[in-house]
Amino acid sequence: MASLLYRLGRFSFRRRKRVVAVWLLLLVVLGGAAATLMGPTSDKFTMPGTESQRALDSLQEQFPQASGTTGTIVIAAPEGAKLDKAAVAPVVRDAAAVDGVVGAVDPFQAGAVSEDGRYALVQVQFEAVADEVTDAQRAAYEKVGADADADGLRVEHGGEVLNAEVEVGSTEAIGVLIAAGVLVVTFGSLVAAGMTLLNALVAVAAGMAGLFAVSSVVELTSTAPILALMLGLAVGIDYSLFITSRHRQYLTEGVDAEEAAGRAVGTAGSAVVFAGATVVIALAGLTVVNIPFLSVMGLAAAGTVAVAVLVALTLLPALLGFAGDRVLPRKQRDGHASPATSVDLGKPREGFGFRWGRTVTRFRVPALLVGILGLGVLALPAADMRLALPDAGTAAAGSATREAYDLTSEGFGPGFNGRLIAVVSGDDAASTAVAAKEGTERIRGTKDVLAVAPPLLNKQGTTALLTVIPKAGPTDEATEAVVHAVRERVADIGEFAGAEGADVALSGTTAVGIDVSEKVSDAMLVYLLLVVGLSILLLMLVFRSFLVPLKAALGFLLTIGATFGITVAIFQQGHLAGLLGVDSPGPLVSFLPILLIGILFGLAMDYEVFLVSRMREDFVHGAGAQEATVSGMGHNARVVTAAALIMTAVFGGFIFMPDPIIKSIGFALAVGVLVDAFVVRMALVPAVMSLLGRAAWWLPRAVDRALPNLDIEGESLQRKLVPEQREHAGEKSEKTDTVRV
C-alpha cells in the first residue's frame, strides 16, 4: 500500500494544476447538485419492531386525520384571576383557522382547564407531519393569541410542530480559529497552517455537498449534517497535519520536494488510510444496530471522513507543490536543512517528547496506577447513566417551546408535557368500543396515571385514541415505569369478552423515546464488543502483535468509561452544568453512548497508530524495546498533541450551540479526545510498552505468516528507496571528485 500511495503522492505533486482543477470542478458539481436536489431534514425517530412504531403505523393507516403533528397553546390568566370561555374562544377560533390545521379543541369542552381556573390548554391538530409543515404555517400558528396576550393573558406556543431543525451557526467557527492557532504554533509557518486548514475545508465542503445532494432520496435526521461537519473538520485537519508534518521532516533532511511529498503520502498517508478506515468502519457499523436514524447519522459521517482521507492523499500533495519550501519556517528554508535538523535521525535533537517518554518509562508503574485509578474514578458516575430522547424541558431557556413547557408544568403538572397515546384497533366498531372502554378502565387504574381522556374514534369506529396523562414528566423514571405497566395491563385485552381480536398499542413522543432508549441500550454491549473485536483484529494486522492490540482495546475501554462518567456528571447530574449553559440537567440523549463508542474508537486508533507505528519501526530496525518506546514518543508526541488539541477545539466549538443534543455530543467528543490522547495514549501506552519490553512484539510464526502485510509505515517502500539513495549519493560523490580533479 505504501508504494502505491508513494506514486500517488508524486503524481499529485507533479500534476498539481490538474489535481486542483479536478477538485474545484468536483466542488462546483457537488455544490450545484446540493442546491438543486437538497431535501428537508427530519426529526422523526422511527423504530421498526417496537410497539410505539406499530401504533404510529396503525394510526397513519386507520386514522390519518390524527396522525399529523400536534401543537399545544398554553393560556394563563394573571395571578389571582380566572380564564373564561369568552377570553379563550378567540384563541381556539384563530388556531382552527390556521392553514393546515384540521382542528383545535376548546379546553372548556375537553376539560383541559386547571383546577384553579387560571390555566388552559388548547390542543391543535395539524394534517401534515412536522417535517411537512411549512414555515408560513408555523409562523401563523405562533401568532395565534396575539390579541389575548395584549389583553393581559399570557399565551405560549409549544408542541411537536415547533421542533426546529438544528442549524449550523457561527459558534463552531471558534473551534476552527483555535485549530488555526494551534497549526501556526505547530508549524511555525502561516503557509503550512493555512494550507492544512484549506485542505480540511475543501474536504468538508465536498462531503457536505455530497450529503445534501442525496438528501432528496435519503431522509436525513437534523443532527446528521452537524455530526458530519464536526467529524469532517476534525479528521480533515488532523490527516493533513500528519502528512504535512512528515513532508516537512523529509524537506529538512535535504530530500527533494517532489520526493518528500511522495514519501510523506507513502508513509504517513498509509497511516491516514488505516486511521480513516477504522473511523469509517466504526461509523458504518452503526447500521448493525438496526435503528434507521442512527444508521443514517453513521453513514453520513463515514462518507465525510472518507472524503477527508481522499482529499489528504490527493489534493494535499498538490498544494504542497504550490507551497514549495514555504511550508517550512523561514529560518529553515535556505537549503532546507539546518545544523539542528540535518543530524543523524537516530540521534535527533531531543525535545519534550523524548524527555516525556523517558520519564514515563522510568516511572511506568506509578504512571499506570495513577492513570488507571484516575480514569476509574472519573468513570464512576456512568453507573447512574440514564438515556432518553430530549424534550422541550431541555430546550434553551427563553425559547418558545421551553416557555410553553414550563407554563404547562406550572399550571397542570409535568405529566401534561409527557402525554401518552393508546391506539385501540379492532376488527369492527363493536369490538373497538368494548376494547376502548375496558382499556380506559385498566389504564386509569395503573399506578402514577393521572388521567385518561375519553376515546376519540375514526369515522369507521374501528380505531380509537386514548390520551393518557402520567403524573411525572416525560423523562422521569416513574413515567418509564408507567409505560411498561400500561402495556402489561392491556396486553391481553383482545381476549376480553366482546373485544376479541382488538389490540391496544401505546405510543406518543414519550413512549417513542423510551423505546429508542431501550433498543439502543440493548444494542450497546453488542456494538462495543464488535468495535473492540475489530480493533484487536486490525491492530494485529498492523503491528504483528497480540499484546499491543489488547493493550489498545483496554485503553479504549478506559477512555469510554471516563468520557461517559464526566458527561453524566455534568449533563445528567448537573455538576458544573451552568458553565456549559446546561440549565436543565437530565438523561443523556439515547444515541449518545453508542455514537461515542463508534467515533472515539476511530479517533483513538488514530493516535495509537501514529505513536506505536514509530515504536515498531525502530524496533524492527534494531532498536531495543525501551529505546523504541522513547523514540516513538519523541518523534510523534508533538504532532499527536497538536492533533488532539485541534480535534478538541473543533468538537468544543459545538458546545456553544443551544441545541442540547449537539451540545452534549460536542462536549463528550472533546472530553473523549483529551482523555484518550493525553492520558491513555501519551501516558499509559508508553508505560505499558516499557513494562512489556520485547514481549510486546511477540506473535507466533504461523499467525505471522497467515496475516497479510499492510505495510502501514512503509517498510517495503523504505527498503526500495535505500538503494536508490545510496546510488544517488554515489553519483553526487563522483561528480564532486571529478570537479576536484
Side-chain angles (χ1 to χ4, degrees):
M1 181 169 65
S3 298
L4 175 63
L5 293 177
Y6 166 76
R7 292 194 296 271
L8 177 62
R10 295 196 61 170
F11 172 84
S12 298
F13 188 97
R14 287 196 307 271
R15 303 288 188 264
R16 47 187 173 272
K17 291 183 180 180
R18 294 182 184 178
V19 171
V20 171
V22 168
W23 275 108
L24 288 177
L25 178 62
L26 187 60
L27 282 176
V28 171
V29 172
L30 288 175
T36 56
L37 301 177
M38 184 170 63
T41 57
S42 170
D43 286 309
K44 291 189 296 184
F45 294 95
T46 57
M47 294 292 297
T50 62
E51 179 174 327
S52 56
Q53 188 62 47
R54 177 164 56 88
L56 292 176
D57 293 342
S58 174
L59 201 61
Q60 177 68 37
E61 181 180 351
Q62 301 295 332
F63 204 167
Q65 300 91 337
S67 63
T69 191
T70 59
T72 302
I73 300 176
V74 193
I75 308 173
E79 189 172 358
K82 292 185 178 182
L83 294 171
D84 55 41
K85 292 185 178 181
V88 173
V91 177
V92 177
R93 184 180 61 251
D94 292 347
V98 171
D99 183 34
V101 170
V102 296
V105 182
D106 188 328
F108 286 95
Q109 295 180 359
V113 180
S114 61
E115 293 183 1
D116 60 4
R118 184 186 170 193
Y119 303 87
L121 296 178
V122 178
Q123 298 299 323
V124 182
Q125 180 68 51
F126 283 79
E127 182 178 7
V129 295
D131 298 331
E132 298 174 359
V133 176
T134 65
D135 292 337
Q137 290 172 332
R138 285 194 179 91
Y141 168 73
E142 290 183 282
K143 290 179 181 178
V144 170
D147 294 338
D149 192 60
D151 292 337
L153 299 180
R154 182 181 174 186
V155 180
E156 301 291 349
H157 304 77
E160 298 174 12
V161 69
L162 292 185
N163 288 342
E165 295 181 0
V166 182
E167 297 181 354
V168 181
S170 59
T171 55
E172 53 273 20
I174 298 173
V176 177
L177 291 176
I178 296 175
V182 173
L183 288 172
V184 171
V185 172
T186 302
F187 287 137
S189 165
L190 286 173
V191 172
M195 182 189 65
T196 302
L197 193 58
L198 175 63
N199 200 73
L201 292 176
V202 169
V204 168
M208 295 294 289
L211 180 61
F212 284 122
V214 301
S215 64
S216 59
V217 294
V218 177
E219 187 176 75
L220 296 180
T221 59
S222 57
T223 52
I226 306 296
L227 180 64
L229 172 63
M230 192 186 299
L231 274 179
L233 268 178
V235 301
I237 294 174
D238 272 12
Y239 295 162
S240 298
L241 167 65
F242 291 138
I243 295 177
T244 303
S245 297
R246 189 63 64 90
H247 175 76
R248 282 159 46 100
Q249 174 189 331
Y250 286 128
L251 286 180
T252 58
E253 294 170 12
V255 177
D256 173 75
E258 181 181 330
E259 179 69 14
R263 294 187 189 183
V265 175
T267 53
S270 296
V272 164
V273 170
F274 171 78
T278 58
V279 179
V280 169
I281 292 172
L283 289 170
L286 290 171
T287 56
V288 304
V289 182
N290 195 29
I291 300 176
F293 73 87
L294 198 56
S295 298
V296 170
M297 289 177 64
L299 292 174
T304 307
V305 171
V307 172
V309 172
L310 187 60
V311 168
L313 297 178
T314 56
L315 180 61
L316 180 58
L319 295 179
L320 290 173
F322 285 111
D325 62 0
R326 287 175 295 174
V327 296
L328 294 172
R330 189 177 298 275
K331 62 183 179 181
Q332 293 182 4
R333 292 177 189 173
D334 296 334
H336 298 326
S338 66
T341 59
S342 60
V343 294
D344 179 16
L345 289 180
K347 298 178 181 178
R349 184 177 66 177
E350 292 193 356
F352 174 75
F354 284 92
R355 296 193 297 271
W356 174 254
R358 286 199 169 88
T359 300
V360 174
T361 55
R362 181 182 178 185
F363 300 102
R364 51 186 178 268
V365 174
L368 282 172
L369 291 176
V370 172
I372 293 174
L373 291 176
L375 294 179
V377 171
L378 291 175
L380 290 177
D384 187 41
M385 183 169 60
R386 294 183 56 243
L387 304 177
L389 288 181
D391 56 24
T394 61
S399 63
T401 54
R402 177 63 181 276
E403 291 295 322
Y405 182 97
D406 291 342
L407 191 60
T408 300
S409 297
E410 177 185 312
F412 297 90
F416 277 77
N417 285 304
R419 283 170 293 193
L420 305 169
I421 297 175
V423 180
V424 183
S425 302
D427 296 333
D428 51 50
S431 62
T432 300
V434 173
K437 181 179 179 181
E438 177 64 19
T440 299
E441 294 300 322
R442 294 187 183 188
I443 296 173
R444 187 175 288 135
T446 304
K447 181 182 178 182
D448 290 330
V449 168
L450 187 64
V452 181
L456 178 64
L457 296 167
N458 65 351
K459 292 181 179 179
Q460 296 79 17
T462 55
T463 301
L465 295 185
L466 305 176
T467 300
V468 182
I469 310 296
K471 291 182 180 179
T475 60
D476 196 285
E477 289 183 272
T479 302
E480 183 176 347
V482 166
V483 169
H484 291 301
V486 167
R487 286 174 171 171
E488 184 177 349
R489 288 178 64 87
V490 299
D492 62 345
I493 204 163
E495 301 174 5
F496 186 76
E500 291 82 0
D503 175 71
V504 180
L506 195 64
S507 188
T509 303
T510 301
V512 169
I514 292 171
D515 287 345
V516 170
S517 300
E518 291 181 351
K519 190 164 185 177
V520 170
S521 297
D522 293 341
M524 193 163 16
L525 180 59
V526 175
Y527 183 67
L528 181 60
L529 292 175
L530 174 67
V531 167
V532 171
L534 178 66
S535 71
I536 293 176
L537 176 60
L538 291 180
L539 291 179
M540 190 182 299
L541 291 174
V542 174
F543 297 125
R544 328 296 293 184
S545 165
F546 273 142
L547 295 180
V548 169
L550 183 61
K551 173 265 305 171
L554 293 176
F556 171 65
L557 294 178
L558 289 173
T559 296
I560 286 294
T563 302
F564 285 170
I566 296 172
T567 306
V568 166
I570 294 177
F571 283 84
Q572 180 178 312
Q573 298 177 348
H575 303 295
L576 304 178
L579 296 178
L580 299 178
V582 182
D583 50 21
S584 298
L588 302 184
V589 61
S590 308
F591 52 84
L592 176 60
I594 202 166
L595 200 63
L596 283 183
I597 291 173
I599 296 173
L600 288 180
F601 160 69
L603 302 184
M605 294 307 104
D606 283 4
Y607 305 133
E608 181 76 16
V609 169
F610 284 102
L611 283 175
V612 181
S613 59
R614 183 57 187 254
M615 299 178 190
R616 178 176 181 271
E617 182 182 356
D618 288 355
F619 180 79
V620 169
H621 287 89
Q626 301 297 324
E627 182 184 353
T629 299
V630 174
S631 176
M633 294 298 297
H635 283 96
N636 290 323
R638 180 180 177 86
V639 68
V640 169
T641 297
L645 291 176
I646 288 170
M647 278 210 177
T648 301
V650 172
F651 292 147
F654 290 84
I655 296 175
F656 301 100
M657 292 188 70
D659 184 83
I661 296 179
I662 302 302
K663 184 189 291 286
S664 61
I665 292 176
F667 173 82
L669 286 174
V671 168
V673 168
L674 284 176
V675 168
D676 192 83
F678 293 109
V679 180
V680 176
R681 309 301 157 187
M682 297 285 283
L684 297 185
V685 165
V688 172
M689 296 297 291
S690 176
L691 194 63
L692 292 175
R694 298 182 62 86
W697 307 108
W698 174 79
L699 187 68
R701 288 187 179 181
V703 177
D704 188 34
R705 287 194 297 267
L707 294 177
N709 186 5
L710 298 181
D711 192 23
I712 293 297
E713 272 302 305
E715 294 176 30
S716 61
L717 175 63
Q718 186 66 23
R719 288 194 297 269
K720 176 183 176 183
L721 293 176
V722 167
E724 295 178 1
Q725 292 171 359
R726 289 175 178 170
E727 182 180 347
H728 180 65
E731 291 174 357
K732 291 180 66 177
S733 177
E734 285 183 15
K735 290 179 181 179
T736 302
D737 291 341
T738 302
V739 171
R740 286 177 179 175
V741 171

